[in-house]
């Protein structure tokens, strides 16, 4: 077996360098063995001659349709059904129309279940599952699913990434043959962009979320990591237990999870709560449950009090099995949302009326497991020496094993108390734009006002490795209360609003998803203004001759800091800063905090 892997890898390298086609390359990619599977959900598939066969079914799930084909198929279905309408809700970076299908029986407005597929465009199971489900709602008697809720379905969220098909994208997924990319056309990962909202796709989705305010929001993905027996896994922000808003999380854990688990099990699938491995090479080290910020769909849903589900189908299950599992999950989700509509509405209202006093900003793995999965359904593996990496690599053997899996939780290490409000200068247009987009309420000062405010100074600011189109920044912070006169036009963002916790996550400097952490204020790191040396020298000389306090401080600094004393430019800059206003806001966080 070892020999065959060696030769396949060598062949792949030869074919790759020879520039042979992606389709050919795919046939020689070695994935671990698949477990045989059959289940009741296979009965959902139509016969090959069915007029409403979906493109993926027609291709026996070997390929997945491109954007134009999906759009044309949905338009044909909508033309044949009064239940379906197709809408656009924005444009991608490359100008493609973002589409959703609204499935509704009409009449008085009903609450909505919002499902999106392809935020990571290669993980496209949700698209083909949604097409099957819409077909069955429109043509095959499943319209009862719409008795009490509407379905809004986004077949492809990251369309630009979806259209860059290649066999080399997501090579860990067992089908379809060619897949799109993870990121959008600007190489932004849309599932890291909900807080900073840089991508046009994100801006369109946040606007859609605000417009629909769904009962339930489902984001369809495919996993990576390790082999296991489970085929359909799902989770929520903070695995439920670390959610920021309790009532919606309780509904997800108490009602959604059991309902879809039962439906999937009855249909022949093996569901579980998404197991995120600590160390894929040593699965027994455990799985991680952790809080999360609003950069993610699930984290964002939690912060805005919309019950949100992350679906993570298992990468090594065949595409057909994954699509069928997604279908079963979505159908069960529609049913439980319909059944619990008033409960969910009440949970959302309760969360939005809550006023959390603190925001957890840092955490660290807890020393002891917070629980155990007693019978984790794993897959056996061994290791072999890979000539490619030169070290031992994993080889999954396909045999089911069970073991006791520790659940690694987190303990809080830092949290911040929410202020009464934040004050944003009128010039911070990028911040104000994001606040408007997120639906965070604020008021604008008509006349100047003097207040005692907590002002935040950065200590040791450091730019981090560029990430997601930004240069993130890390620093420690010193808080000092002082009187500040706010000019007219200053913006007051109250923490006392339904989105108060989201405002905190964006505006508290210590927050990992704050605008500051994402690097929104590079101007505060710029050097102070300067001028010609002959002017600075004359100015400094005059200052030393006329201001004894400055002179004493200057001389003390010369004695204490030899490198400063030996640096003519630093000496002149120091004197210039003491002569006038210096940098208007060097290392100063521009947003002030109004304390309780
Ligand atoms: Zn994903």
């Amino acid at each position: 077996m070892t020999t065959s892997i060696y030769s396949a890898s060598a062949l792949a390298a030869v074919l790759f360098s020879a520039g042979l086609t992606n389709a050919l390359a795919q046939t020689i990619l070695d994935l671990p063995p698949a477990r045989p599977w059959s289940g009741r959900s296979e009965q959902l598939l139509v016969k090959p001659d069915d007029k409403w066969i979906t493109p993926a079914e027609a291709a026996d799930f070997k390929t997945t349709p491109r954007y134009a084909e999906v759009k044309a198929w949905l338009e044909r279905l909508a033309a044949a059904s009064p239940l379906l309408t197709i809408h656009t809700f924005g444009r991608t970076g490359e100008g493609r129309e973002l589409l959703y299908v609204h499935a509704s029986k009409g009449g008085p407005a009903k609450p909505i279940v919002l499902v999106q597929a392809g935020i990571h465009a290669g993980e496209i199971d949700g698209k083909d599952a949604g097409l099957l489900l819409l077909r069955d709602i429109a043509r095959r008697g499943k319209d009862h699913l719409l008795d009490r809720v509407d379905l809004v379905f986004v077949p492809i969220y990251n369309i630009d990434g979806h259209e860059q098909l290649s066999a080399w994208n997501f090579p860990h997924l067992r089908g379809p043959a060619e897949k799109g990319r993870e990121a959008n056309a600007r190489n932004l990962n849309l599932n890291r962009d909900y807080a900073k909202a840089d991508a046009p796709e994100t801006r369109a989705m946040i606007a859609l979320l605000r417009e629909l305010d769904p009962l339930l929001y489902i984001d369809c993905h495919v996993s990576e990591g390790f082999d296991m027996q489970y085929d359909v896994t799902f989770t929520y922000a903070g695995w439920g237990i670390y959610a920021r808003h309790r009532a919606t999380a309780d509904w997800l854990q108490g009602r959604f999870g059991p309902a879809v688990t039962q439906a999937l099990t009855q249909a022949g699938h093996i569901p579980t709560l998404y197991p995120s491995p600590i160390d894929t090479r040593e699965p027994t080290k455990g799985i991680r449950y952790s809080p999360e910020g609003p950069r993610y769909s699930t984290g964002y849903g939690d912060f805005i009090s919309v019950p949100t589900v992350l679906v993570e189908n298992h990468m090594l299950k065949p595409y057909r099995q994954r699509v069928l599992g997604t279908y079963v999950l979505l159908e069960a989700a529609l049913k439980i949302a319909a059944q619990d509509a008033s409960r969910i509405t009440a949970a959302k209202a309760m969360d939005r009326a809550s006023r959390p006093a603190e925001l957890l900003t840092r955490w660290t793995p807890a020393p002891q497991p917070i629980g155990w999965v007693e019978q984790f359904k794993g897959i056996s593996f061994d290791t072999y020496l890979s000539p490619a990496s030169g070290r031992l690599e994993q080889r999954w053997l396909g045999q089911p094993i069970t073991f006791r899996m520790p659940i690694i939780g987190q303990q809080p290490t830092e949290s911040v108390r929410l202020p009464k409000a934040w004050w944003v200068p009128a010039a911070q247009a990028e911040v104000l734009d994001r606040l408007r987009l997120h639906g965070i309420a604020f008021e604008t000062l008509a006349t100047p006002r003097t207040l005692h405010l907590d002002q935040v100074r950065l200590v040791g600011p450091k730019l981090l490795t560029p990430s997601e189109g930004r240069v993130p920044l890390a620093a420690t912070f010193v808080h000092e209360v002082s009187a500040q006169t706010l000019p007219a036009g200053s913006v007051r963002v109250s923490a006392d609003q339904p989105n108060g916790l989201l405002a905190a996550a964006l505006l508290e400097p210590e927050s990992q998803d704050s605008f500051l952490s994402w690097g929104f204020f590079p101007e505060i790191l710029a050097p102070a203004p300067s001028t010609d040396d002959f002017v600075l020298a004359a100015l400094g000389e005059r200052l030393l001759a006329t201001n004894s306090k400055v002179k004493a401080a200057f001389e003390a600094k010369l004695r204490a800091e030899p490198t400063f004393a030996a640096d003519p430019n630093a000496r002149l800059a120091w004197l210039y800063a003491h002569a006038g206003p210096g940098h208007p806001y060097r290392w100063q966080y521009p947003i002030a905090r109004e304390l309780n």
Side-chain angles (χ1 to χ4, degrees), residues 570-583:
R571 291 165 60 138
L572 292 180
W574 189 93
L575 288 164
Y576 186 35
H578 283 74
H583 193 299

Side-chain angles (χ1 to χ4, degrees), residues 440-464:
I440 293 169
F442 55 78
E443 51 191 331
T444 305
L445 208 55
T447 53
R449 199 164 141 198
T450 300
L451 285 172
H452 277 83
L453 295 175
D454 176 27
Q455 303 190 55
V456 183
R457 207 159 32 83
L458 282 65
V459 177
K462 221 172 64 188
L463 295 176
L464 307 179

Side-chain angles (χ1 to χ4, degrees), residues 244 358-364 411-417 475-477 509-512:
R244 314 300 180 117
E358 291 197 338
L359 173 72
L360 177 65
T361 50
R362 306 271 154 186
W363 48 87
T364 192
Q411 58 189 22
T413 55
E414 181 193 284
S415 59
V416 295
R417 265 199 96 65
T476 53
F477 303 100
E510 288 87 354
S511 159
Q512 296 182 40

Side-chain angles (χ1 to χ4, degrees), residues 422-497:
W422 298 268
W423 285 92
V424 183
Q428 292 295 343
E430 207 180 12
V431 169
L432 297 175
D433 163 73
R434 300 304 192 278
L435 295 179
R436 268 185 218 103
L437 176 71
H438 288 301
I440 293 169
F442 55 78
E443 51 191 331
T444 305
L445 208 55
T447 53
R449 199 164 141 198
T450 300
L451 285 172
H452 277 83
L453 295 175
D454 176 27
Q455 303 190 55
V456 183
R457 207 159 32 83
L458 282 65
V459 177
K462 221 172 64 188
L463 295 176
L464 307 179
T465 307
S467 166
E468 297 304 325
R470 293 273 173 184
V471 184
L473 177 149
T476 53
F477 303 100
V478 176
H479 291 249
E480 286 161 337
V481 176
S482 62
Q484 187 182 349
T485 300
L486 300 154
S490 299
V491 160
R492 183 177 187 273
V493 183
S494 173
D496 183 11
Q497 58 175 305

Side-chain angles (χ1 to χ4, degrees), residues 139-218:
R139 307 292 312 176
R140 286 162 55 94
K142 286 204 175 166
D143 57 305
H144 58 86
L145 293 171
L146 305 179
D147 285 348
R148 283 185 282 173
V149 289
D150 287 2
L151 167 64
V152 168
F153 176 65
V154 177
I156 311 167
Y157 179 16
N158 173 17
I159 307 171
D160 294 346
H162 182 270
E163 294 302 286
Q164 295 185 37
L165 283 179
S166 164
W168 298 100
N169 292 335
F170 292 87
H172 52 293
L173 269 56
R174 198 183 304 281
E178 292 186 306
K179 311 165 199 83
R181 294 182 66 240
E182 176 170 79
N184 77 351
R186 228 192 103 196
N187 207 27
L188 300 184
N189 182 337
L190 300 181
N191 203 27
R192 303 292 181 274
D193 195 43
Y194 280 83
K196 62 187 174 66
D198 284 332
E201 295 89 347
T202 308
R203 299 179 67 88
M205 183 55 72
I206 288 174
L208 185 65
L209 274 166
R210 285 184 59 205
E211 183 193 326
L212 304 178
D213 190 16
L215 273 186
L216 178 59
Y217 180 32
I218 300 181

